[in-house]
C-alpha cells in the first residue's frame, strides 16, 4: 500500500475537523491534502521529499529528515491549532519593550526574520484553521513594529517579532535582544531566511545573535515556491553548511516552507507543539 493511500484511509477513519462557516484555505487542514496527487501530497507534508531525487548521492539526506513525524502525529498537532471554547486561540497583547511584555509561564516560541521574509504570512498560515485570529500581513516591508503575543490556549504562546534589516524599527536591538536573553519561558526561536535568495548579511548577524544567547533555535527557509528547484537546492545546501559549521544551538535540520502553497506548514505545526511539550510524538525521525 502506498504512503498516500495509507494516509487517505487513515484520515477518512478520523472524526472530521469542524470548520463550518469559516473562510479556511483548503490545504490548511491535513484532511484535505488527500485530494492532491500522491507526489504533491508527499511534497506538501514533507517538502524535502520533492528535492531529494535531485541531490547528489554523496549528500547525507538524514540531516534534512531528523524531524519526520507520522501523519498521526501531525493530526494531533493540528488539533492544537483549532480554537474551541476550552482551547482559545487569539491575539493577546503587543509590547514595544521587555518591561511591557506580559508575564506568562506557559512555553513560548518566537519568530524573527528579515523584513519581507514572509514572517507574518507564515504565522497566518499556521493559524489558518482559526481565521478569526488577526495576523496582519502587509506588502510593505517592516510592517511589524512591536512584539505581538498570541496565546494558543493554555498550551503555549507564539510571538511575532519585528523584522530586522530594511525599515526595521529604530529600537529593534533594544527590543529583541533583551527578550532573547531574558525570556525564561522561551523554548525555541524560529529564525526565518528567504529560501529563494538564501542567507543574507542581515541573517548572518541575526544568527550570531541567536548563538550568543545560547538558546535553542531553528532555521526556517520561507518562500520556497518563489524559485526553481536548482536555486532552492543551492540555497538549502549553503544554509545546511552554515548550520553544520557555524552553529552550536541551532537544530540541525532547516525547515522548508511555502505559506502560499502550504508546503511544510503541517510539519512546522507539529514541530512547534513538540518543542513546547504540547504533544508527544510516536516517531520523530525517518529511519
Amino acid at each position: 500500500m502506498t504512503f498516500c493511500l495509507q494516509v487517505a484511509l487513515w484520515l477518512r477513519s478520523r472524526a472530521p475537523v469542524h470548520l463550518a462557516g469559516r473562510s479556511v484555505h483548503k490545504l490548511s487542514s491535513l484532511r484535505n491534502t488527500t485530494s492532491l496527487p500522491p507526489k504533491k501530497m508527499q511534497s506538501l507534508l514533507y517538502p524535502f521529499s520533492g528535492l531529494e531525487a535531485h541531490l547528489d548521492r554523496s549528500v547525507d539526506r538524514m540531516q534534512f529528515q531528523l524531524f519526520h513525524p507520522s501523519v498521526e502525529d501531525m493530526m494531533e498537532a493540528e488539533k492544537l491549532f483549532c480554537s474551541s471554547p476550552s482551547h482559545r486561540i487569539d491575539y493577546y497583547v503587543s509590547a514595544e519593550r521587555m518591561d511591557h511584555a506580559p508575564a506568562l509561564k506557559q512555553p513560548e516560541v518566537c519568530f524573527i526574520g528579515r523584513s519581507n521574509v514572509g514572517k507574518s504570512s507564515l504565522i497566518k498560515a499556521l493559524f489558518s484553521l482559526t481565521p478569526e485570529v488577526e495576523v496582519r500581513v502587509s506588502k510593505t516591508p517592516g510592517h511589524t513594529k512591536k512584539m505581538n503575543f498570541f496565546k494558543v490556549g493554555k498550551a503555549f504562546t507564539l510571538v511575532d517579532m519585528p523584522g530586522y534589516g530594511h525599515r526595521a524599527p529604530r529600537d529593534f536591538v533594544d527590543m529583541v535582544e533583551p527578550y532573547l536573553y531574558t525570556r525564561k519561558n522561551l523554548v525555541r526561536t524560529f529564525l526565518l531566511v528567504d529560501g529563494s535568495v538564501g542567507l543574507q548579511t542581515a541573517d548572518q548577524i541575526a544568527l550570531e545573535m541567536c548563538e550568543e544567547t545560547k538558546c535553542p533555535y531553528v532555521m526556517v527557509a520561507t518562500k520556497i515556491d518563489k524559485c526553481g528547484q536548482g536555486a532552492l537546492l543551492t540555497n538549502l545546501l549553503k544554509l545546511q553548511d552554515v548550520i553544520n559549521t557555524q552553529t552550536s544551538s541551532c537544530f540541525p535540520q532547516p525547515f522548508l516552507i511555502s505559506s502560499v502553497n502550504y508546503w511544510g506548514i503541517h510539519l512546522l505545526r507539529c514541530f512547534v507543539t513538540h518543542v513546547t511539550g504540547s504533544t508527544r510524538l510516536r516517531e520523530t525521525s525517518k529511519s
Side-chain angles (χ1 to χ4, degrees), residues 94-112:
S94 295
E96 293 184 354
R97 299 275 182 172
M98 266 307 294
D99 53 4
H100 298 157
L104 300 170
K105 294 183 178 180
Q106 61 196 42
E108 198 160 275
V109 295
C110 78
F111 286 70
I112 66 173

Side-chain angles (χ1 to χ4, degrees), residues 125-162:
L126 291 173
F127 286 142
S128 56
L129 294 171
T130 309
E132 63 269 24
V133 175
E134 185 179 3
V135 182
R136 294 182 180 180
V137 178
S138 174
K139 293 182 179 179
T140 304
H143 179 74
T144 304
K145 301 294 185 183
K146 301 177 181 180
M147 298 181 285
N148 297 318
F149 293 76
F150 298 86
K151 292 187 71 173
V152 182
K154 297 180 180 179
F156 60 90
T157 306
L158 187 152
V159 187
D160 183 7
M161 305 294 281

Side-chain angles (χ1 to χ4, degrees), residues 39-64:
K39 286 186 177 180
K40 286 189 176 181
M41 178 180 170
Q42 178 84 6
S43 294
L44 182 139
L45 297 182
Y46 308 102
F48 176 73
S49 65
L51 299 174
E52 191 172 2
H54 303 285
L55 283 175
D56 187 91
R57 292 183 180 180
S58 63
V59 176
D60 178 13
R61 286 153 172 74
M62 278 307 298
Q63 60 188 337
F64 300 105

Side-chain angles (χ1 to χ4, degrees), residues 244-265:
N244 291 343
T245 61
Q246 300 181 29
T247 73
S248 59
S249 301
C250 186
F251 186 68
Q253 173 187 334
F255 285 77
L256 300 172
I257 293 291
S258 167
S259 301
V260 175
N261 298 327
Y262 278 77
W263 297 335
I265 293 295

Side-chain angles (χ1 to χ4, degrees), residues 27-197:
L27 297 179
S28 63
S29 171
L30 189 57
R31 179 176 304 280
N32 292 334
T33 63
T34 58
S35 63
L36 296 173
K39 286 186 177 180
K40 286 189 176 181
M41 178 180 170
Q42 178 84 6
S43 294
L44 182 139
L45 297 182
Y46 308 102
F48 176 73
S49 65
L51 299 174
E52 191 172 2
H54 303 285
L55 283 175
D56 187 91
R57 292 183 180 180
S58 63
V59 176
D60 178 13
R61 286 153 172 74
M62 278 307 298
Q63 60 188 337
F64 300 105
Q65 300 171 105
L66 295 172
F67 186 77
H68 195 92
S70 65
V71 176
E72 292 91 337
D73 287 327
M74 285 192 273
M75 278 294 291
E76 288 302 309
E78 183 173 287
K79 292 177 183 177
L80 286 171
F81 284 87
C82 297
S83 191
S84 69
S86 61
H87 180 71
R88 294 278 298 173
I89 302 174
D90 207 354
Y91 161 78
Y92 184 57
V93 72
S94 295
E96 293 184 354
R97 299 275 182 172
M98 266 307 294
D99 53 4
H100 298 157
L104 300 170
K105 294 183 178 180
Q106 61 196 42
E108 198 160 275
V109 295
C110 78
F111 286 70
I112 66 173
R114 187 165 51 87
S115 298
N116 204 34
V117 75
K119 180 166 47 61
S120 296
S121 295
L122 170 55
I123 294 173
K124 189 177 182 68
L126 291 173
F127 286 142
S128 56
L129 294 171
T130 309
E132 63 269 24
V133 175
E134 185 179 3
V135 182
R136 294 182 180 180
V137 178
S138 174
K139 293 182 179 179
T140 304
H143 179 74
T144 304
K145 301 294 185 183
K146 301 177 181 180
M147 298 181 285
N148 297 318
F149 293 76
F150 298 86
K151 292 187 71 173
V152 182
K154 297 180 180 179
F156 60 90
T157 306
L158 187 152
V159 187
D160 183 7
M161 305 294 281
Y164 54 79
H166 179 63
R167 298 192 66 174
R170 292 181 180 179
D171 54 355
F172 172 82
V173 174
D174 294 336
M175 190 187 306
V176 176
E177 275 198 346
Y179 173 86
L180 296 178
Y181 273 100
T182 65
R183 195 67 169 175
K184 293 183 179 179
N185 60 326
L186 177 64
V187 297
R188 193 75 51 148
T189 295
F190 291 81
L191 176 56
L192 276 55
V193 174
D194 189 333
S196 65
V197 299

